[in-house]
Amino acid sequence: SLTMNMRKNINKSIASVLAAAALTLGTAGCNGFLNVVPDDGLPSIETAFNLRSSAIKYLATCYSYMTLDGSMGNDPAILGSDEYWDLYGRVTSNQGNRVPFTLSYMARGYMSANNVYANDWRDMYRGIRCCDILVDNIQMVPDMDDSEKAQWIAEVTFLKAYYHFNLVRKWGPVPIIRESLPIDSSVDEVRVHRDNIDDCFDFILELLDRAMPDLPLVNPSVDEYGRVNQAICASFKAKVAVYAASPLFNGNSEQAALVDTDGATRLFPEKTDDEKLARWTAAMEACREAIAVCDEANISLYRGDDITYRMTDSLKTTLTLRNAFNQKWNSELIWGNTQPDPATMRMYHKLCMPILNGFTDQLGGYIFIGVPLKIAEQFYTVHGLPIANDSEWANINPMDLRTGDDQHAYYIHKGHKTVKLNFDREPRYYASLGFDGGNWLGQLGNYNDLKPEDVHYVSCRMGGTHAKRDSETGPVTGFLPKKHFPIQATWTANNNFTGASTTWYPWPMIRLSDLYLLYAEAINEAEGPNGTHSEDLFKYLNLVRERARIPDVKTAWDTYSNSPGYYGTKVGMRAIIHRERLNELAFEGQRFWDIRRWKEAPAEYQKGIYGFDVTSAKEEDYYVKKFLYEQKFGLKDYFWPIPTSYIEVNPNLVQNIGW
């Protein structure tokens, strides 16, 4: 993508941009606030903007501060969550060519104000200043027309909004940078205060509205994929508006004690019910507008129309659901983050997936990353219902054993004995999870006319191909996150892994199914399931379910559940929508943020981390629920601590509650 190509030039041309408000933002000072080294070797603002060819390198720098979503070493929503579980104690794996494990310490509750994981406070403010510099100087470029200058200004205005949003969802109320301070500002001027949460969200939304008109509807060529367009801007605005309306941010009385240094100004202002509702109404409208923009841009749910293999419906469905996430630039990808390094992603594939064909590899198949049992239990039954609500499961113990049969032969290896939990589940279960005895589509030379026995399967009980070999290998829980791995991610007979070009994909920041579910959520919170927009609520919720090959909401609950009509109340529909998001967007880095903004994290963490006894060989010993870790989540854990060193430099930054 153009973004990736631009980024390659960063080290050559624009090494870094330090914030003018360096004392505020945690840096030691303002030395070298701009280190631009254009081709002529003269570092200055003027030479950075003297030609379009150098200015585009500066635009690249503005993009280069994008968060590395999906990166194991940078994204807290992956190893820092309760959705994955890392192999604890592995030592060599944090060295070169291995998957970092540092953020797994965040999942274990080791965060402190002196040891802040995934701390990009400083980088976000550097990125903001970089965007301001481009806006202030782009008119100097002589060989650009006004429309292109306006587009670049719109792009960095969007990025400025995104960098503020990333700060807000981590730290809550933060200092708003409306205009970057001059480099010669006094110490008192840069010792700014945190703005209240509503002002933060209003500022972000204002920036997005300002950026929208001058952006292209879509990127004109593949080379520009990853750059901001109207579909991205409108969809991101929808997401921001939903966050602003969510309980964590919208009149959160639990944060009443967080006040500014004057001891009186609340950073989470008190709100009436009508004021809270107004946020949801605005979010509903933002989502509706974003869907309209995506329709105009011909963005549509991916349905596997480009899958030309002759295969059964069950195989094609699971492949479609995997591809919707990991097939680059598929039809429903609204915003793909091109910043994560292809080589790093390739290494993740290499180390964290099972070697399906029996080949050995020095670094391959370590299956470091597991999925907690509670996540496997979270997925729906084949009827599109939670296990606890499906009438047919009333007398079934999910931990009882059952043997793979013809009915499930494309999901579970025939004749393999496993737990009933793995049978009669929704297609997203089989598309998203690997498990002992579960089929894993991949590592095949031909995908046409596959018989069940042609498909590789996972064998991770002791004695199996994918069993634990030592303390440095998995499996961790008995479940693996299959969804991340394209079917092209394979080993060759020479023990070589396929190249990054075949396994890399832009990390999905926003997919259309995500936007549809945000819209359904906003409608329900604004009006309930029987309001003016109820038809849209069910329409977009059911479009996601239809693609997942499960019954629509009303059919599922009225025909198969122990609670007919459950969708008829706001509370019931809220639970349905929340579960739908958790299942549809599983392993995409959404759960981490969703359960926080819903204020459901304490209840989810309280369930604990469990798996199977992966050191056992016999089915009756392996399929025993085994406790792995007690996660805790208190009020303080909703937001990151501001590093102590930053507060020492700027005492006007009040610390978050509990830190």
Side-chain angles (χ1 to χ4, degrees), residues 12-17 32-51 53-58 61 133-134 137-138 140-141:
K12 299 178 184 176
S13 59
I14 305 175
S16 64
V17 178
F33 86 99
L34 182 64
N35 184 14
V36 179
V37 186
D39 295 336
D40 61 7
L42 300 175
S44 69
I45 287 287
E46 289 74 16
T47 50
F49 293 96
N50 64 351
L51 289 173
S53 58
S54 56
I56 199 169
K57 296 175 185 178
Y58 202 96
T61 303
I133 288 173
L134 186 141
N137 293 278
I138 192 66
M140 294 167 52
V141 182

Side-chain angles (χ1 to χ4, degrees), residues 106-285:
M106 180 178 175
R108 294 173 180 271
Y110 298 160
M111 180 95 84
S112 73
N114 292 315
N115 189 17
V116 181
Y117 296 110
N119 174 21
D120 54 5
W121 172 288
R122 181 181 301 176
D123 279 348
M124 290 301 98
Y125 280 111
R126 286 172 172 171
I128 289 166
R129 179 160 183 83
C130 182
C131 293
D132 284 345
I133 288 173
L134 186 141
V135 171
D136 290 342
N137 293 278
I138 192 66
Q139 300 304 334
M140 294 167 52
V141 182
D143 55 340
M144 289 179 66
D145 59 38
D146 289 343
S147 63
E148 187 174 37
K149 290 178 180 178
Q151 179 185 331
W152 288 18
I153 290 172
E155 288 182 68
V156 299
T157 300
F158 173 94
L159 291 173
K160 183 174 179 177
Y162 177 72
Y163 297 150
H164 275 91
F165 173 75
N166 188 53
L167 288 162
V168 166
R169 68 177 178 174
K170 282 185 174 180
W171 281 278
V174 296
I176 295 172
I177 307 300
R178 300 184 186 278
E179 294 182 0
S180 291
L181 294 169
I183 198 63
D184 58 355
S185 298
S186 68
V187 170
D188 287 340
E189 287 176 306
V190 300
R191 283 182 172 170
V192 296
H193 293 253
R194 299 173 71 176
D195 289 274
N196 78 55
I197 195 68
D198 287 312
D199 287 346
C200 289
F201 276 114
D202 287 342
F203 178 65
I204 294 167
L205 293 167
E206 174 192 329
L207 289 177
L208 296 173
D209 284 340
R210 191 189 310 166
M212 186 72 175
D214 292 317
L215 293 169
L217 176 63
V218 295
N219 301 112
S221 70
V222 175
D223 289 339
E224 296 192 17
Y225 284 0
R227 290 180 66 174
V228 180
N229 56 39
Q230 287 189 352
I232 292 172
C233 187
S235 300
F236 179 60
K237 179 187 175 184
K239 177 158 281 194
V240 171
V242 168
Y243 270 67
S246 296
L248 179 60
F249 301 104
N250 192 11
N252 185 355
S253 59
E254 290 184 336
Q255 295 288 329
L258 185 61
V259 297
D260 203 6
T261 52
D262 62 7
T265 303
R266 286 177 52 167
L267 297 182
F268 283 82
E270 186 177 7
K271 286 187 175 183
T272 65
D273 289 343
D274 285 345
E275 288 172 326
K276 294 178 184 177
L277 189 63
R279 280 288 191 193
W280 279 116
T281 302
M284 179 179 68
E285 183 62 19

